[in-house]
Amino acid sequence: MNILVLNCGSSSLKFQIIHTDLDLIDKDADVQKAKGLIERIGSQSLVTLQADGRPPLKVAAPLRDHKSALDYVVRWMVSPEAQIPGIRSLADIHAVGHRVVHGAEKFTRSVIISDEVIDGIEDCIDLAPLHNPANLKGIYAARELFGVGVPQVAVFDTSFHSTMPETSYLYAIPYQLYRRHKIRRYGFHGTSHRYVSYRYRQITGKDREQIKIVTLHLGNGCSACAITGGESFDTSMGLSPLEGLVMGTRGGDLDPAVLEFLVHKEGMSMSELDAMLNKQSGLIGLSGLTNDMRDLLEEEREHHDRRAALAIAIFVQRVKKYLGAYLAEMNGADALVFTGGIGENSSTIRERVCDGLDWLGIKLDPKTNADLPRGTEGVVHAADSRVHIHVIPTNEELLIARDTVRCVKDAPRRW
Ligand code: AMP
């Protein structure tokens, strides 16, 4: 089956076309046929389209909404210039898989999208006002374009964490607030944590039940996950993706009293607080320079920028803090897994995170770590490290495509 995987943000649309099926999943023989990104939907949009094995095509086009953006992608996809093998008309797309950020307690696994599911995703908007409306735009656009004959599947960022026990997911606030409004920790990046734990299982040949690891998704958004028995036991993001680690533009953990203080001292409104927490904090807030870890590392090295160095140090210390907490919660772990743009590409950050943790049985091999080519899979621990250290590039799109096939074929979801 050819699966169109869609990940819609408020003004962006990312897609991939992946050829997969139940037997291809078993053989790990899925094929990525094309991918692309449309940014700045609503004005002069920037479009990047790439068929597998061919150079990317970059163009600007006035695309007023997600429907026009998807329309543009589909027209390119079926055009002779794209030359995507096996894709000649709309009928060659057999199903659409959507990334949906928040599924709350309602969606604990991926599901075929029906009217009822759409209502359910709408009900979660209160919990994810920045993300779910954008995901819904993608769903509506795909429905309109492909019609009801093409099944669509929703894959939720939160569902992998639905196995967390109450002791991990409840906030210590009045219990009635959980009852009344479902205020609790949900966790995000579930598709990424699930994918890398699946790859870890493949690499090590372990059974799912034997898996006890800490996965560190370090990208522009960052989260850690304690996985035991193959299931999420605890994770660093909470009701929203604001909690936990330091990220590109989000600061992670914060005493809630800071917000009231800012309302009084600076007269900040809710929307200003929201912008501060989501867009002006984290690496960019601390450094005053950039949310990009690559640039910060450069500034620190080349220009000895004190605040760049501080931002990196706080980022690293927070990762260590969560790592220590998860090792304590799980009575140790067999491995750490680094993933995400920073985790996959930055040997420096991996080294700094693992530095001084030998008493926990975590010993990185500096040379193997530094020599690992960027964005590739590998093991980077020293021979005598009790806890193994893996680098596994994430592939959320592949998991979305595979879940889509499994839902459409009504096959059990194993990972
Ligand atoms: P993601 O959100 O997973 O795409 O990750 C984006 C983050 O990865 C950005 O902060 C990038 O600066 C960071 N990144 C990518 N390559 C490198 C690298 N070689 N060294 C450090 N950070 C990197």
Side-chain angles (χ1 to χ4, degrees):
M1 297 175 76
N2 292 319
I3 311 294
L4 174 65
V5 176
L6 287 182
N7 179 356
C8 290
S10 54
S11 63
S12 67
L13 180 153
K14 251 201 239 175
F15 75 92
Q16 279 194 18
I17 301 169
I18 297 177
H19 181 69
T20 181
D21 223 323
L22 295 177
D23 59 323
L24 294 175
I25 297 175
D26 278 345
K27 293 186 201 129
D28 231 347
D30 335 59
V31 180
Q32 187 205 73
K33 290 188 160 184
K35 63 178 180 182
L37 168 66
I38 302 192
E39 296 163 286
R40 296 199 204 155
I41 295 173
S43 59
Q44 187 68 353
S45 308
L46 303 173
V47 183
T48 311
L49 304 164
Q50 185 172 22
D52 193 39
R54 309 191 60 214
L57 172 78
K58 287 181 188 264
V59 281
L63 300 171
R64 67 178 183 283
D65 54 19
H66 286 74
K67 165 87 189 348
S68 332
L70 185 59
D71 206 47
Y72 193 93
V73 167
V74 168
R75 271 190 284 119
W76 168 76
M77 223 158 67
V78 300
S79 69
E81 82 197 41
Q83 288 181 30
I84 306 172
I87 310 279
R88 267 175 231 97
S89 75
L90 221 59
D92 293 320
I93 294 294
H94 304 116
V96 185
H98 294 266
R99 175 195 182 208
V100 179
V101 170
H102 217 309
E105 289 186 342
K106 208 174 229 131
F107 299 108
T108 56
R109 49 174 46 249
S110 306
V111 288
I112 298 228
I113 298 173
S114 60
D115 289 344
E116 204 186 335
V117 167
I118 291 182
D119 289 347
I121 298 172
E122 278 176 355
D123 287 345
C124 301
I125 287 179
D126 275 354
L127 292 168
L130 293 181
H131 299 100
N132 276 29
N135 305 150
L136 280 164
K137 281 183 189 166
I139 293 172
Y140 294 136
R143 263 198 165 186
E144 215 177 310
L145 222 93
F146 292 98
V148 285
V150 175
Q152 298 198 51
V153 169
V155 179
F156 299 89
D157 266 23
T158 44
S159 62
F160 180 63
H161 303 298
S162 65
T163 50
M164 285 196 293
E166 280 175 317
T167 48
S168 296
Y169 74 66
L170 281 179
Y171 289 114
I173 57 174
Y175 190 78
Q176 306 83 281
L177 293 177
Y178 165 63
R179 282 243 181 86
R180 237 186 283 152
H181 304 293
K182 295 286 172 221
I183 295 176
R184 51 160 280 183
R185 310 183 59 257
Y186 290 96
F188 298 86
H189 289 150
T191 319
S192 176
H193 293 294
R194 191 178 133 210
Y195 176 78
V196 296
S197 59
Y198 148 79
R199 272 302 300 156
Y200 171 78
R201 180 182 70 106
Q202 276 198 319
I203 293 163
T204 55
K206 290 189 181 187
D207 288 335
R208 182 193 166 108
E209 295 70 31
Q210 296 173 304
I211 287 174
K212 193 157 102 166
I213 57 177
V214 177
T215 50
L216 299 170
H217 178 108
L218 309 178
N220 195 33
C222 299
S223 67
C225 186
I227 299 176
T228 177
E231 295 182 339
S232 173
F233 175 79
D234 203 352
T235 192
S236 57
M237 285 176 167
L239 176 85
S240 82
L242 282 175
E243 194 180 337
L245 303 179
V246 175
M247 315 179 209
T249 61
R250 288 170 260 164
D253 294 338
L254 179 78
D255 182 340
V258 170
L259 303 181
E260 199 197 342
F261 191 88
L262 283 173
V263 169
H264 291 308
K265 288 283 177 191
E266 302 231 344
M268 282 170 82
S269 65
M270 268 324 289
S271 65
E272 285 168 329
L273 288 174
D274 195 64
M276 179 204 79
L277 293 170
N278 279 294
K279 302 207 171 91
Q280 297 147 13
S281 299
L283 297 177
I284 197 164
L286 285 165
S287 70
L289 284 172
T290 172
N291 62 326
D292 194 307
M293 182 58 91
R294 229 172 340 197
D295 297 344
L296 282 181
L297 287 164
E298 198 110 303
E299 285 296 319
E300 180 199 47
R301 271 193 299 263
E302 315 236 310
H303 308 287
H304 308 292
D305 186 296
R306 193 188 83 83
R307 276 176 51 194
L310 190 61
I312 299 167
I314 295 173
F315 177 95
V316 167
Q317 185 170 327
R318 188 77 57 83
V319 176
K320 278 175 184 269
K321 195 165 168 174
Y322 271 89
L323 180 53
Y326 290 167
L327 292 174
E329 282 186 348
M330 294 197 294
N331 188 15
D334 298 322
L336 306 183
V337 179
F338 284 94
T339 193
I342 300 172
E344 293 163 24
N345 295 301
S346 177
S347 55
T348 310
I349 296 297
R350 292 195 298 262
E351 186 171 344
R352 291 189 197 183
V353 166
C354 296
D355 183 47
L357 299 185
D358 40 338
W359 66 281
L360 281 173
I362 298 173
K363 263 172 130 177
L364 182 124
D365 183 86
K367 180 157 178 4
T368 318
N369 180 50
D371 289 349
L372 184 75
R374 286 194 183 137
T376 58
E377 222 168 70
V379 284
V380 296
H381 52 269
D384 60 344
S385 181
R386 222 169 347 105
V387 178
H388 288 185
I389 308 170
H390 287 248
V391 179
I392 304 182
T394 195
N395 195 342
E396 289 157 279
E397 290 79 10
L398 181 64
L399 209 55
I400 294 174
R402 288 179 169 189
D403 265 13
T404 302
V405 167
R406 290 183 189 119
C407 282
V408 170
K409 303 254 164 128
D410 208 14
R413 187 207 92 175
R414 279 163 302 177
W415 275 80

